[in-house]
Amino acid sequence: MTVKCQSSGSHGSVQKKSGPDKSHSSSKVPLNLLLLLAVLLINCLLYLYLDRFYVLSQLPVKGVLPGPCSPGYFRMEAMKNCSPLLSCADIRMQVRKLRLVGEGAVKRVFLAEWKERKVALSTLASPKLTEDFLHGVNMLRSLQSEHVVTLVGYCVEEFTVVTEYHPIGSLSNLEKTLGHPKYQMLNTWQNRLGLAIDYVSIISYLHSSPLGTLVMCDTNDLEKVLSQYLLTSDFRIVVNDLDALPLVNKELGKLVKCGPREIHSDFVAPEQLWPYGEEVEFRDENMPPYDEKTDIWKIPPVTDFLMGDVEGSDIVRFHLFDIHAACRKPEPVMRPTAQRVVEAYKGVLLLLMKERAVPRARDML
């Protein structure tokens, strides 16, 4: 009996040993499939939602920009409600000039105060440029959006305009700003590419504005381009200087020329240069006009400045090579639209963020 029990137990133990092996082997297949499906699902979710995530992640204080005010009203940062634009009387009585903070050919800009809020008060610098000043005021009134500095009020009779004040100042202060301890955490390729997307989005907005196709004319060198834009405290770009913004209407054959003088610069588009050689004297009436594609030509060097020299910026430049090569085509008609550049930039951002995020997700699994 003892032997038989041992013999029987021996056979039984062999069967039990082989049984679980088959069960364990068969359970591996659905588990692997489940992990694979999980990774694929994460990929899809990342692809769909990183477009929204990058906008929020670049802000020092995460949040959503408030909706626009109705025409004739404004709302600055931290204001809950929209207020009517300041009139001449409001500006005289409620806006207190503090100090001069900038001066150009068209405007003198003062730091001022309105109801304990800092604002920028701009006045006409030279009577000779009255037309340019009034054009800029009209552009500010007509183009109010997330891409344009907020108009607070204006007085045509006294050649005065009040806008939201941004203490960081022009975009030329970017490197200095990112070197400050308050902003060092934002000095990443992701946030810099986000600024580049802001920049080309502004160009796209101007090229398809409510007024028609507008060209940024006062942009003959990089420093001049940067001076046209402001860097906000929540790390966005808004256009500030709209004094030289002529209209293109190709259907009516209306093109533009950025000023009556000859342009000497290796920054501007080829069609902006005198085409007849040094031996022929420049005459404005003989200079061929051009269209908005001059703005497209200037995008690559501006973006190169915005990307700076941070870890990952070279990879971004590599992925932007094709779209930038298209921007620099000698024939204006062959260059992409600004909206096409925006789409290319966003595509690169999504691709690179996805490549960084997916391996981490796999590691977590």
Side-chain angles (χ1 to χ4, degrees):
M1 291 291 296
T2 303
V3 175
K4 194 179 275 189
C5 285
Q6 287 175 346
S7 175
S8 175
S10 174
H11 286 295
S13 66
V14 171
Q15 291 174 353
K16 288 179 181 179
K17 186 175 181 180
S18 61
D21 283 346
K22 291 179 180 179
S23 174
H24 181 66
S25 176
S26 63
S27 67
K28 277 186 178 179
V29 176
L31 180 59
N32 288 341
L33 284 174
L34 184 62
L35 290 173
L36 180 60
L37 288 173
V39 170
L40 291 174
L41 180 60
I42 290 173
N43 279 343
C44 292
L45 291 174
L46 286 169
Y47 184 83
L48 290 172
Y49 294 106
L50 278 177
D51 182 45
R52 297 178 183 178
F53 171 77
Y54 99 87
V55 174
L56 298 179
S57 68
Q58 71 177 344
L59 302 179
V61 179
K62 293 180 175 63
V64 179
L65 294 173
C69 295
S70 301
Y73 289 78
F74 73 95
R75 175 172 51 208
M76 293 187 289
E77 184 180 352
M79 286 179 62
K80 292 183 179 180
N81 301 314
C82 297
S83 294
L85 289 174
L86 303 187
S87 65
C88 292
D90 294 330
I91 294 173
R92 285 194 297 267
M93 297 176 63
Q94 301 176 17
V95 178
R96 184 166 64 95
K97 191 185 298 182
L98 298 178
R99 68 175 188 272
L100 182 69
V101 293
E103 185 170 5
V106 179
K107 297 189 295 283
R108 303 180 76 206
V109 184
F110 297 86
L111 172 63
E113 194 173 56
W114 172 74
K115 294 186 176 180
E116 300 183 349
R117 295 179 183 274
K118 296 294 189 295
V119 292
L121 174 68
S122 300
T123 61
L124 178 63
S126 170
K128 296 179 181 179
L129 297 173
T130 298
E131 187 177 343
D132 291 338
F133 182 88
L134 295 177
H135 177 74
V137 174
N138 185 51
M139 291 295 103
L140 278 174
R141 289 177 51 245
S142 305
L143 298 174
Q144 284 296 290
S145 73
E146 62 179 316
H147 302 298
V148 179
V149 69
T150 299
L151 177 64
V152 175
Y154 62 94
C155 180
V156 172
E157 293 83 354
E158 298 177 12
F159 303 108
T160 303
V161 61
V162 182
T163 55
E164 184 171 8
Y165 176 69
H166 294 286
I168 294 176
S170 78
L171 196 51
S172 59
N173 295 325
L174 176 62
E175 294 301 332
K176 179 181 176 181
T177 301
L178 289 174
H180 192 281
K182 180 181 178 181
Y183 291 99
Q184 281 179 349
M185 62 178 291
L186 297 176
N187 193 15
T188 64
W189 69 262
Q190 294 96 325
N191 289 326
R192 284 175 173 270
L193 183 53
L195 290 178
I197 291 173
D198 281 351
Y199 164 65
V200 292
S201 295
I202 291 170
I203 299 298
S204 178
Y205 173 69
L206 295 178
H207 287 184
S208 57
S209 81
L211 302 177
T213 302
L214 300 168
V215 182
M216 286 289 284
C217 256
D218 202 2
T219 53
N220 290 346
D221 57 65
L222 177 61
E223 197 62 31
K224 193 62 177 176
V225 171
L226 300 176
S227 71
Q228 311 295 302
Y229 300 88
L230 296 175
L231 185 60
T232 69
S233 298
D234 58 354
F235 216 63
R236 296 181 298 110
I237 297 176
V238 292
V239 64
N240 179 58
D241 194 335
L242 302 175
D243 298 337
L245 212 61
L247 179 68
V248 166
N249 190 328
K250 294 178 183 177
E251 293 182 359
L252 298 179
K254 183 179 180 181
L255 301 179
V256 303
K257 287 187 287 187
C258 291
R261 296 180 179 84
E262 183 177 1
I263 298 174
H264 298 278
S265 171
D266 56 3
F267 182 82
V268 300
E271 62 270 23
Q272 291 184 272
L273 301 175
W274 178 245
Y276 304 118
E278 295 181 0
E279 63 278 4
V280 179
E281 182 183 0
F282 176 84
R283 290 183 178 274
D284 180 52
E285 60 269 23
N286 295 332
M287 177 67 194
Y290 34 84
D291 62 19
E292 77 282 1
K293 291 299 184 72
T294 57
D295 291 334
I296 305 301
W297 174 273
K298 300 164 188 174
I299 287 175
V302 177
T303 293
D304 186 62
F305 166 82
L306 294 175
M307 290 309 306
D309 185 23
V310 296
E311 183 181 356
S313 62
D314 288 344
I315 299 298
V316 175
R317 288 184 175 92
F318 173 78
H319 283 277
L320 294 178
F321 180 84
D322 288 343
I323 190 67
H324 282 177
C327 290
R328 303 289 276 191
K329 286 186 178 297
E331 306 83 5
V333 70
M334 298 300 294
R335 297 171 204 155
T337 64
Q339 183 55 37
R340 174 69 190 94
V341 180
V342 173
E343 293 166 0
Y345 277 29
K346 286 185 176 181
V348 168
L349 178 61
L350 289 174
L351 173 66
L352 293 179
M353 291 187 72
K354 179 184 172 188
E355 287 178 352
R356 286 170 58 90
V358 170
R360 294 178 184 176
R362 290 197 184 107
D363 292 340
M364 291 174 64
L365 291 173

